[in-house]
Amino acid sequence: MNKRPTKAEIRRELESQVRDFLEQGGSLEQIERGVSGRFDQNGPIKSNAIVFDEPKEGRTLLTDVVATIEARKHPEPVKKKPRRSTPKKKMIYDDFGEPLRWEWVEE
C-alpha cells in the first residue's frame, strides 16, 4: 500500500515549484482576498452543465426484463408429493359407549 503524502510534504513541493517558476523568470500577481476568478463576476456562473437542446429521446420499456428478474428472485415453491396416509388405530364403541375393539383406519 502506498504511503500518502502529508500536508507538510505537499506544502514543501508547492513551495519548491513556485520557487523554480520565479527563478526561471516567472512573475506572480497578488489578488485581493474574496475576488472571484471569473472574468464576468456579475453574470451567471457558467459551468459544464448539461444543455437540453436535443429533442427528447424515447424510452426503452423494460417490463419484460424486470419481470424475468423478479421471477428469478422469487422462484415457485417446489410442490411436495402428498404423503401417503398411515393407518391409525381407532377405538370402536358399542351403542352404550362401551369399547368393543380397535380398528386400523386410513384417513
Side-chain angles (χ1 to χ4, degrees), residues 47-58:
S47 64
N48 297 335
I50 299 171
V51 181
F52 296 102
D53 292 340
E54 299 175 4
K56 185 176 180 182
E57 294 182 11

Side-chain angles (χ1 to χ4, degrees), residues 19-82:
R19 194 175 332 105
D20 292 342
F21 176 74
L22 293 174
E23 288 174 357
Q24 292 177 359
S27 64
L28 297 177
E29 183 180 338
Q30 191 70 25
I31 307 283
E32 293 181 31
R33 183 172 231 159
V35 175
S36 174
R38 295 185 294 140
F39 292 112
D40 184 14
Q41 296 177 7
N42 296 327
I45 297 174
K46 293 181 182 178
S47 64
N48 297 335
I50 299 171
V51 181
F52 296 102
D53 292 340
E54 299 175 4
K56 185 176 180 182
E57 294 182 11
R59 294 181 179 231
T60 306
L61 296 176
L62 298 176
T63 53
D64 298 336
V65 176
V66 172
T68 54
I69 291 172
E70 289 297 321
R72 276 189 260 151
K73 283 184 184 177
H74 309 287
E76 290 184 21
V78 178
K79 294 181 180 178
K80 294 181 180 179
K81 293 181 181 178

